[in-house]
Amino acid sequence: ITDESVQAYGPAGDAYLHSGMYTFELGDADNRTPVQARFSYVWQKQGNEWKISHHHSSVRPPVPVSAAEMKTIAQTNFKRWNDALQTKDPKKVAALYSSGELSFLPTVSPKHITDTTDTEQYFVDFVLKNPF
């Protein structure tokens, strides 16, 4: 266990929540892989025995990308988009847009675009305006 907390519940302290972070290993004895995980247990006293009434364990989510890393990703992706636009190939530009759950409010159109067919058609018209 690398981090933990315990919270008591019930008037007689007959239940508690134990939660935290831990590392365990998977694999054969000569080839173990460490796995960082989080856990929570609710233990309840039933008679003279403690019993688990809730158990959760899951792999710890990845560490979020830093603001600096995200800015680099954003700048790289903007360059990809602009480079595609400069080819004047609507298919190349439209290929950068999501094929599902798209919400695109284009610069020179009153339309709210939500699919790739309309995205490509928008760029067919847009590249004729010679954007730079």
Side-chain angles (χ1 to χ4, degrees):
I1 295 176
T2 57
D3 184 35
E4 66 183 319
S5 69
V6 176
Q7 298 168 300
Y9 294 98
D14 55 357
Y16 67 90
L17 167 65
H18 185 198
S19 60
M21 309 294 265
Y22 70 110
T23 301
F24 67 95
E25 294 180 341
L26 290 175
D28 295 333
D30 61 341
N31 191 25
R32 298 215 182 259
T33 302
V35 178
Q36 294 183 341
R38 53 192 176 177
F39 71 91
S40 62
Y41 290 96
V42 174
W43 289 80
Q44 291 182 316
K45 195 162 191 180
Q46 297 176 357
N48 290 330
E49 290 188 81
W50 287 97
K51 299 284 187 174
I52 297 169
S53 62
H54 162 83
H55 174 203
H56 166 89
S57 182
S58 60
V59 173
R60 198 163 92 186
V63 175
V65 175
S66 72
E69 289 172 299
M70 189 54 70
K71 184 175 182 180
T72 299
I73 291 167
Q75 290 171 337
T76 299
N77 283 333
F78 181 83
K79 183 176 181 335
R80 285 179 57 219
W81 177 83
N82 194 50
D83 289 350
L85 185 62
Q86 296 310 310
T87 69
K88 308 259 193 274
D89 182 345
K91 288 185 186 308
K92 284 187 179 181
V93 182
L96 294 173
Y97 287 76
S98 176
S99 61
E101 298 190 31
L102 173 65
S103 180
F104 173 29
L105 300 167
T107 307
V108 293
S109 171
K111 190 173 183 181
H112 178 211
I113 296 174
T114 59
D115 64 57
T116 52
T117 302
D118 288 344
T119 301
E120 188 175 323
Q121 186 55 53
Y122 170 76
F123 284 108
V124 166
D125 299 335
F126 187 73
V127 298
L128 295 174
K129 295 172 176 46
N130 290 319
F132 285 100

